[in-house]
Amino acid sequence: MHPSQMPIVELRKAAGELQESGRRVKVLWQESESLAFLARGREYRSEFHLNPSDEVMFMVRGSMDLHYRRPEGGSDIAVIPEGGTIFTPTGIAHSPRFAPDAFVLVIERLRRPGELDRFRWFCPACDEFLHEETVHVSDYRTDPVAGAYQRFYGDVAARTCKSCGTVMPDERL
C-alpha cells in the first residue's frame, strides 16, 4: 500500500483549522469501511444518537460529558477527560456534550445501504420519549446532527411531551 493511501492527520492542526472555519465537523477520511472525523463541541446538544455501528471517541482537546441511556430507563454520564477515549457499542443511545472549544476524534464504520442513524429526544420533565429523527448517512460531511436538530426544533408538536405536556424549549435560540 502506498503511503498516500494511508492518511496521516495532525489532530492539533486539524482542530485549529476546524475552529477557524466555524464548521462543526471535519471528515478526515471515509474510505473502505472506515469513517474518521474531528468534531468541535456544540453550544447545545440534547438528542441521543443511536449509531448502527460501534464508535470510538478520543478527546483531543477538552473533556466531554457523554450522556447515555440505560437499558432499564433513564440516563447516566461518562466523563471523558482530554487524552481519554471511550468505546460505545452499537445500540447504546448516547449524547456527546462538550464545549465549542473542545474537540473529539470519532472513528466508526461507514454506513451500509439501508442502515439508519437515529436521533432521539426525551422529555426534560418526565423523561418520556418525545421524538425520533432517522437519516441514512452516506456522507458525514453533510453534518446529519444539524439536519436532525433543524427538523426537531422546527416542529413544536415533536417537542411536546404526550405524557406531561412539557414543551422542550428551542435550544437553537
Side-chain angles (χ1 to χ4, degrees):
M1 180 176 270
H2 190 273
S4 67
Q5 294 174 306
M6 300 184 305
I8 297 172
V9 178
E10 294 180 38
L11 293 175
R12 288 190 180 108
K13 180 180 175 186
E17 291 169 357
L18 186 56
Q19 190 163 19
E20 287 176 20
S21 76
R23 293 187 329 267
R24 298 292 181 182
V25 174
K26 178 180 177 67
V27 173
L28 305 177
W29 63 80
Q30 293 185 100
E31 303 296 330
S32 183
E33 291 191 11
S34 180
L35 164 65
F37 62 90
L38 192 63
R40 184 166 65 92
R42 296 175 189 264
E43 290 79 3
Y44 59 89
R45 187 126 186 206
S46 58
E47 96 297 341
F48 286 83
H49 178 212
L50 275 162
N51 193 329
S53 72
D54 295 339
E55 185 172 342
V56 175
M57 292 176 260
F58 171 76
M59 287 308 299
V60 175
R61 184 188 308 161
S63 65
M64 172 196 298
D65 289 347
L66 183 66
H67 295 241
Y68 62 94
R69 302 293 300 178
R70 294 188 308 259
E72 66 276 8
S75 62
D76 216 336
I77 302 171
V79 178
I80 300 97
E82 184 171 312
T85 188
I86 190 167
F87 170 75
T88 305
T90 304
I92 299 290
H94 58 282
S95 182
R97 301 178 188 179
F98 54 109
D101 61 348
F103 296 85
V104 64
L105 169 66
V106 179
I107 301 172
E108 48 190 57
R109 179 180 48 72
L110 282 176
R111 305 308 185 260
R112 296 178 178 141
E115 284 186 325
L116 296 174
D117 281 69
R118 301 178 187 288
F119 301 95
R120 292 182 175 170
W121 283 266
F122 295 83
C123 177
C126 71
D127 200 42
E128 285 294 315
F129 172 77
L130 281 180
H131 182 74
E132 178 177 273
E133 288 286 329
T134 59
V135 63
H136 174 72
V137 182
S138 58
D139 183 347
Y140 213 87
R141 289 178 286 252
T142 63
D143 192 2
V145 175
Y149 264 77
Q150 293 292 27
R151 290 185 299 277
F152 174 70
Y153 283 107
D155 183 352
V156 175
R159 294 187 287 121
T160 303
C161 182
K162 313 281 185 284
S163 275
C164 72
T166 297
V167 178
M168 180 177 266
D170 188 341
E171 295 179 338
R172 299 172 302 169
L173 303 175

